[in-house]
Amino acid sequence: MGSVLIPSLLSLLCFGIYSSRTLIQNQERNGQDILNSVSQTLEMQFSDIINIQDAFYIYNEVFQEAEALNNPQLYQYYDELTRIEMENTYTIILTKLIHTSDQDIRAVVFFPASNGDTAYYLGKENARLEEIEYPGYHEETWYKEAAADGNQSVFYAEHNPEYIENRHLSDVYSYIKAVRDMSNGNVIGVVKIDVSSQMLEDTLNVVEQTADNGLIILQEGEFFASSEWIPAEQEMTVKEGSRVQIGKKLYQMQTREIAGTGLELVYLNSRGAVYRGYLP
C-alpha cells in the first residue's frame, strides 16, 4: 500500500507546487496590467494639475501679478485701475483653470519669496484673491525644497492646512513648485496647488481589492496615499526581495514609477492566499 500512497502524495505535492507557481505568475501579470493602467491614469491627473502651475509662465498677466505680490514696490509703476485689472485677470485665468480641470482643485495659493507671512489664496469656492496669514511659511519643508531648486516640483502628502480647515474643506494633497523670473532665474515665490485627496483615493480604489491585495503610492519609501483597505498610519517596513510588511502582514510588491512626479505606484499582493489555496 505504501508503494501506491507515496507516489500519490508526491504527485499531489508536485501538482500543488505547479499550480501555486502558475497562479503566482498569473497574479504578477495581472499586477503589471493594473500598474500600467492606474499609473497612466495618475499621470494624466497629475499633468492636469501641473498645467495650472504652467499658467504662471504661459500667461504674462498671471506672472506680472505674482511678481507684484512678491515686490510691493512695483505697485508704484501701476495706477490703481491697472492694479485692479491685473488682479482680476489673474483671478479669472486661474479660476477658469480650476473649474475646467478634471481634478477637484480646492485652492491655488501663492507664497511670495519676499519677507513676510502673507500668502495669496484663490479658492474654488469663492473665486476671489484673498490675503491669508501663514506665519513662518518660509521655513516649511515643502517651501524650502521647492525654492531651493526652481526646477524641482514637490508633491506633499495628504494634510489639512489651517486655511483649508477654516473653510471646512476636505483634506488635500498638494503640488508645489517655485515660480521663477525667466529673465534672471530668481525665485519670486512658490505656488501650492491643493487637490482633494478623495479623488486620488478613488483612483486607487478602482481595482477590486481585498485584505490580500491593493494599491498604495510611495514617496521616497514613505506612504503618500493608499486605497481604503489599508490605513496609511500603519507601520510599513520594506524588506529584501521586493517584500513589504504593513502592520503584521507581509506582501510582495510590484512597482511602477509615476513619470515626472518622484512618486511610485505599488501593487501589493499577499502570497499567503496562494499557498493557502493550493498547498496540501
Side-chain angles (χ1 to χ4, degrees):
M1 182 174 178
S3 60
V4 176
L5 181 60
I6 292 175
S8 298
L9 291 175
L10 287 174
S11 297
L12 183 60
L13 179 62
C14 290
F15 175 76
I17 293 173
Y18 171 78
S19 298
S20 63
R21 286 180 176 175
T22 300
L23 184 57
I24 288 172
Q25 291 173 350
N26 290 337
Q27 287 182 330
E28 288 178 346
R29 284 193 292 269
N30 181 60
Q32 288 300 327
D33 290 341
I34 290 171
L35 288 173
N36 288 338
S37 175
V38 176
S39 64
Q40 288 176 7
T41 299
L42 290 171
E43 285 167 10
M44 287 189 293
Q45 291 177 351
F46 291 142
S47 177
D48 200 23
I49 298 165
I50 292 169
N51 286 341
I52 295 178
Q53 190 273 338
D54 289 342
F56 284 80
Y57 300 107
I58 295 173
Y59 299 97
N60 189 51
E61 300 91 340
V62 174
F63 176 81
Q64 283 184 331
E65 174 66 7
E67 188 178 36
L69 294 174
N70 179 57
N71 184 6
Q73 291 182 354
L74 290 176
Y75 291 171
Q76 62 183 308
Y77 296 106
Y78 306 112
D79 57 40
E80 184 176 356
L81 180 59
T82 301
R83 280 290 304 127
I84 293 172
E85 289 177 349
M86 287 172 61
E87 181 176 317
N88 286 342
T89 304
Y90 175 97
T91 301
I92 290 169
I93 291 173
L94 291 180
T95 298
K96 182 178 179 180
L97 290 172
I98 289 172
H99 283 275
T100 56
S101 172
D102 290 333
Q103 309 313 303
D104 188 8
I105 310 292
R106 305 311 308 170
V108 176
V109 189
F110 179 71
F111 294 85
S114 56
N115 294 331
D117 296 324
T118 302
Y120 297 88
Y121 173 95
L122 180 62
K124 186 174 187 176
E125 78 284 355
N126 60 3
R128 64 185 177 87
L129 193 61
E130 299 178 49
E131 291 187 3
I132 59 172
E133 292 304 306
Y134 196 128
Y137 69 75
H138 294 90
E139 298 304 314
E140 293 279 13
T141 300
W142 51 263
Y143 182 93
K144 292 194 289 187
E145 287 182 1
D149 182 351
N151 296 315
Q152 178 181 345
S153 57
V154 177
F155 279 88
Y156 196 69
E158 182 176 272
H159 59 298
N160 192 3
E162 186 175 341
Y163 62 82
I164 290 289
E165 185 178 14
N166 288 347
R167 291 167 172 80
H168 307 291
L169 302 176
S170 58
D171 289 353
V172 297
Y173 73 93
S174 302
Y175 172 79
I176 304 159
K177 193 168 184 180
V179 179
R180 300 168 61 193
D181 184 335
M182 299 308 292
S183 65
N184 56 29
N186 292 338
V187 173
I188 66 169
V190 166
V191 61
K192 183 171 181 281
I193 302 170
D194 296 320
V195 189
S196 171
S197 299
Q198 188 59 53
M199 291 196 71
L200 191 59
E201 293 170 5
D202 290 344
T203 300
L204 297 178
N205 286 328
V206 295
V207 179
E208 183 178 355
Q209 298 169 88
T210 68
D212 292 311
N213 66 79
L215 289 167
I216 62 174
I217 297 176
L218 297 181
Q219 183 179 48
E220 298 180 352
E222 302 291 336
F223 272 120
F224 181 84
S226 62
S227 46
E228 293 176 347
W229 68 283
I230 178 166
E233 61 269 14
Q234 286 197 41
E235 183 178 353
M236 180 182 69
T237 306
V238 178
K239 299 179 178 292
E240 293 182 2
S242 298
R243 297 180 302 162
V244 61
Q245 183 170 340
I246 301 177
K248 296 182 179 180
K249 198 157 189 175
L250 189 64
Y251 297 89
Q252 291 292 129
M253 62 179 185
Q254 296 171 263
T255 63
R256 176 65 51 85
E257 181 181 343
I258 304 172
T261 66
L263 303 176
E264 191 173 41
L265 180 65
V266 180
Y267 179 68
L268 300 175
N269 183 52
S270 172
R271 292 284 171 79
V274 176
Y275 295 111
R276 284 197 304 271
Y278 284 90
L279 285 180

